[in-house]
Amino acid sequence: MKVLVIGSGGRENALCYAIAKSKRVDKIFCAPGNAGISKYAECVPIGAMEFDKLISFAKEKSIDLTVVGMDDPLAGGIVDEFEKAGLRVFGPRKNAAILEASKAFSKDLMKKYDIPTASYETFTDASSACEYLKNAKMPIVLKASGLALGKGVLICETLEEALDGVHELMEDKKFGDAGNTIVIEEFMTGREVSVLSFVDGDTIRIMSSAQDHKRAKDNDEGLNTGGMGNYSPSPFYTKEVDEFCQEHIYQRTVDAMKAEGRPFKGVIFFGLMLTEDGPKVLEYNARFGDPEAQVVLPRMKNDIVDVFEACIDGTLSDIELEFSDEACVCVILASDGYPVSYEKGFPICGLDRFEGKSDYLCFHSGTKFNDAGEIVTNGGRVLGVTALGSSIREARKKAYEACDWVNFQNKYMRSDIAKAGEEAELNR
Ligand code: AMP
Ligand code: GLY
């Protein structure tokens, strides 16, 4: 069969890698793709938001299945458009993708259905938000309700910072219309864990846990980013945590969406915080995480195309997911300056070192071919250097070793990805 993947990041590279393993797939296309994706798929120069062009392409090439990796097209209703055109597509419809696209919606859903999360208030005008903040406990968290590349969250230590934050989000519109509505939320402390799942509208199957590292600098300092590296599984996601989430969070979320007339089919990514009062939902995403996909998919043993189809057809209850016991670690090689400002267009060398090594993978996030046919940097996050190993310790050692194989000007990485995981593993 022929599969079309939509997106251009490390997540889509990991998706193409997983789809390429399927015995059922003869040909993969990716729109728009990137230099690394071209190893698995024919890249097509159509943007992820160009729905009409994507539909024409899918019809012209008789695509059997389209897989949407990114949040923006999902929130924009790409799945509804493909379905209207009679095409098979994996991902939530617009009315379900709102689970990620509106934090105001997801917070209200959690409140209504008693799903554990931080307490919050929603505001659509800056003056009421500022008034509310004057009596609020600090630190406090401000969130642009809409999509903001994972960056629309401000953690404010003082009232002054919080008031500035409201101006930044609602008046200066730092994240555009995403900040028209803001959520002001109680600050929680604890360890964060990401959990990816497949959902078919009724049934939910948990893939595996992963541990992201969102801050730009070592020791979780610096600005929040899309993710600087991660590993799977997380030693902090214990059996007890899993049992709690199965009972209070996962199925309850799926049932809540169904009860609201918004059945969710696709991937739900639960951003959890393990607080002293138990696990709470920080956020939902309506798609695979990036870089979570880079560490979860290499561990998955199922034919991913079977699972995509089961989600579409509502037969996920027939499938048991299987993951290898290996650990997987991904270190992001970024352009120095990310997530604020950075230069692009530098040639990348050393990529050939990954050839023929199935336990070392180099997923491309922001790369492209320049006119001379060289692979050059083309984004803030450039590569996800990933390794599998029998333990977190081994996978981490291998991933960092492989980070030295690759070079480009302004290469930047954190040096402590999976360090806490390695320590937790040793202490078990
Ligand atoms: P979100 O996009 O909602 O996951 O937020 C991005 C990051 O901000 C999270 O991964 C957390 O590190 C942090 N964060 C979000 N909400 C809270 C909260 N209520 N308390 C503490 N930290 C938070
Ligand atoms: N790694 C977090 C995300 O994909 O949003």
Side-chain angles (χ1 to χ4, degrees), residues 45 55 60 95 192 207 221 268 305 313 335 353 382 406 420:
I55 287 169
E60 187 194 316
N95 73 354
E192 286 181 44
M207 284 182 237
E221 285 168 11
I268 300 184
V305 173
D313 297 334
S335 304
R353 295 277 303 266
V382 178
V406 193

Side-chain angles (χ1 to χ4, degrees), residues 50 54 56 68 93 101 108 130 148 174 196 198 285 317 358 369 407 421:
E50 297 183 286
L54 290 168
S56 305
V68 187
R93 291 184 187 150
D108 289 348
C130 292
K174 191 166 171 200
L196 300 183
F198 285 108
N285 294 308
S317 59
S358 61
F369 289 104
N407 260 312

